[in-house]
Amino acid sequence: MNHKPRLRTVLSCTLLVVSLWASATACGSGDEKHPLSAKPADATGKVSFSMSAGKTKADPDKPLEVTSTGADGKITDVTAVDKTGHYLAGELAADGTRWHSTAPLAAGSRYTVKVSTESKKGAPGLRTLTFDTRPAKKKLTVEFGPDSGEYGVGQPITATLSEPVTSKKARDVIERSLKVRSQPAAEGGAWHWVDETELHYRPKDYWPANGTVTASSTLEGVKISNKLYGGVVKPIKMKTGDRVEAIVDASAHYMTVYVNGEEINSIPVTTGKPGFSTRNGIKVVLGQEYFVRMRGTSVGIGGGEGYDLPVYWATRVTWSGEYVHAAPWSVGSQGVANVSHGCVGMSTGNAAWFFETVQEGDIVQVINSAGDYMEDFGNGYGDWNVDWEDWREGSVLQAGTREGSSPADKARLRPVV
């Protein structure tokens, strides 16, 4: 067998490798290094800051400025990070001579600023500055509700502000800083401004059963409006139980209780009689009291309709005094007629069972009553009676956006169809 052609091929490949190596070394000496590969030099004399390190704290209402002080070089990059890890937005001039912040500094914080430079020959430089900002004289605090603990799937998250906020810009800042997360994840979710000092948060439907919901804030030190900054906000953690729903059919005089979608009990009840009809709509259990002294005068009912009764196993659903409770005096009407002054009454045994089955945050929905609808806000939690689209319109961030989109979507370029 003739092996000569194969030998010629091997020799050709060897010569090619040698040739490529020679070409690579011809491009530059192995002793030379690119300027940018060198360790950055101290750029202390190359840049200056509008803020200074030391005991004097910077005014958070003034922008941070970084300036190139020498003719031999320019600024290539600036990063400014506060003590919570938030980056300060800024803008670098096209010629690299100046960088300035474009967002407000946080009050009562510490910033670490790193400035990268480059000489005319391409040599890198670095300067780092740490400075503190003055604490805010006027702070807005937020109190989340409810307290940490276990609740039903209907419990909204509330945020109460220490100062009234009316401007859309300030509300935008606050809403962005209030974070609500659930595990498992809930479908949708939005804040809704109830008034100038209160927001409520809920998902599209109820919270997932047997899950966890947390509310926290990044508001501390953030500028909200002129001279007003965010204060410390205490987070909360809420655990949800089973999905418990009680459906009260006022015309059928029965209450059906469901747990995770399965019916577990049907109870004969009586609801509000004409003139005192029970409110329709979805209500959220606000609390439970083993014993309540109910007096008509406390809710403006007197004369021939007045009453003064000891009531047991009372589950509250409105602040104005609507309960689901034991009413042994009306057992003969339960399941047959509506004879109460607005509460849902049942036998003592059934009321005790209901009391022990539900917890704060569970759902009580009244249907087919001659009464008005439950108020959306102010008399308990009527939040779930607000249509989802209307609820989203109460959010500065989500109003006017497509469901499922984020506020950042508005800034993204889209082709015109």
Side-chain angles (χ1 to χ4, degrees):
M1 184 180 293
N2 190 350
H3 293 284
K4 289 184 180 180
R6 179 180 177 84
L7 180 61
R8 283 198 297 270
T9 302
V10 171
L11 291 172
S12 298
C13 291
T14 304
L15 290 172
L16 177 61
V17 171
V18 172
S19 175
L20 287 173
W21 180 84
S23 299
T25 55
C27 292
S29 170
D31 295 333
E32 288 188 34
K33 293 183 179 180
H34 192 278
L36 289 179
S37 67
K39 181 181 179 179
D42 183 4
T44 298
K46 306 292 185 180
V47 293
S48 64
F49 299 89
S50 60
M51 310 296 186
S52 61
K55 295 182 179 180
T56 303
K57 296 185 178 181
D59 185 350
D61 287 324
K62 293 183 178 179
L64 169 63
E65 296 183 355
V66 183
T67 307
S68 174
T69 58
D72 180 29
K74 61 182 179 179
I75 298 169
T76 57
D77 186 46
V78 177
T79 60
V81 187
D82 68 15
K83 64 182 181 181
T84 64
H86 293 146
Y87 284 80
L88 180 65
E91 185 176 273
L92 179 64
D95 60 1
T97 59
R98 178 177 174 270
W99 179 96
H100 69 280
S101 59
T102 56
L105 278 74
S109 190
R110 169 166 289 191
Y111 278 89
T112 300
V113 186
K114 292 184 178 181
V115 182
S116 297
T117 63
E118 184 180 318
S119 70
K120 287 184 177 180
K121 293 183 178 181
L126 179 66
R127 185 182 177 187
T128 301
L129 174 75
T130 299
F131 68 91
D132 296 322
T133 55
R134 291 201 301 261
K137 292 182 179 179
K138 188 177 181 182
K139 294 182 180 181
L140 180 139
T141 58
V142 179
E143 183 177 356
F144 286 124
D147 293 334
S148 294
E150 183 171 330
Y151 296 85
V153 299
Q155 178 65 51
I157 299 294
T158 63
T160 304
L161 312 182
S162 61
E163 299 275 344
V165 175
T166 57
S167 79
K168 184 177 180 181
K169 184 177 181 180
R171 289 187 173 191
D172 183 293
V173 173
I174 292 170
E175 218 177 300
R176 288 179 188 276
S177 78
L178 304 180
K179 313 294 184 182
V180 179
R181 295 179 174 84
S182 72
Q183 183 63 38
E187 181 182 359
W191 286 104
H192 185 101
W193 286 82
V194 176
D195 55 35
E196 296 175 355
T197 60
E198 186 172 357
L199 301 82
H200 287 195
Y201 187 100
R202 50 157 277 209
K204 186 174 184 178
D205 196 3
Y206 304 133
W207 297 107
N210 302 303
T212 302
V213 182
T214 58
S216 60
S217 170
T218 57
L219 193 61
E220 183 181 0
V222 174
K223 186 174 184 179
I224 298 169
S225 60
N226 188 33
K227 305 296 182 181
L228 181 63
Y229 288 79
V232 177
V233 180
K234 181 182 178 181
I236 62 168
K237 183 176 183 179
M238 181 178 81
K239 292 186 177 181
T240 59
D242 290 329
R243 177 168 173 156
V244 180
E245 302 168 84
I247 310 299
V248 179
D249 189 331
S251 64
H253 316 296
Y254 266 81
M255 177 175 74
T256 306
V257 181
Y258 300 86
V259 174
N260 298 326
E262 294 186 11
E263 180 181 334
I264 63 168
N265 204 351
S266 186
I267 300 170
V269 298
T270 182
T271 63
K273 60 187 175 182
F276 301 93
S277 296
T278 306
R279 297 172 182 83
N280 285 289
I282 300 171
K283 303 157 191 178
V284 176
V285 173
L286 302 175
Q288 295 175 291
E289 301 163 67
Y290 169 69
F291 172 79
V292 182
R293 191 81 191 185
M294 291 191 178
R295 297 179 175 87
T297 53
S298 64
V299 291
I301 300 174
E305 291 292 346
Y307 55 87
D308 185 350
L309 296 168
V311 176
Y312 293 89
W313 306 109
T315 298
R316 183 189 282 270
V317 292
T318 73
W319 296 125
S320 62
E322 187 178 318
Y323 288 83
V324 178
H325 64 76
W329 55 85
S330 65
V331 169
S333 299
Q334 293 165 17
V336 179
N338 293 322
V339 298
S340 82
H341 287 90
C343 291
V344 177
M346 60 189 67
S347 71
T348 300
N350 284 331
W353 175 87
F354 184 75
F355 188 98
E356 293 171 352
T357 299
V358 301
Q359 66 178 341
E360 193 172 335
D362 284 334
I363 301 299
V364 176
Q365 181 176 8
V366 177
I367 61 174
N368 299 323
S369 173
D372 295 331
Y373 253 81
M374 168 72 175
E375 300 93 329
D376 295 340
F377 307 104
N379 193 19
Y381 297 119
D383 303 46
W384 304 101
N385 296 307
V386 181
D387 179 79
W388 178 237
E389 285 305 314
D390 292 337
W391 183 272
R392 293 180 70 247
E393 286 301 311
S395 162
V396 172
L397 298 181
Q398 296 198 25
T401 66
R402 295 178 297 105
E403 184 175 358
S405 65
S406 71
D409 287 344
K410 291 183 177 180
R412 296 183 181 130
L413 295 176
R414 294 188 181 90
V416 178
V417 179

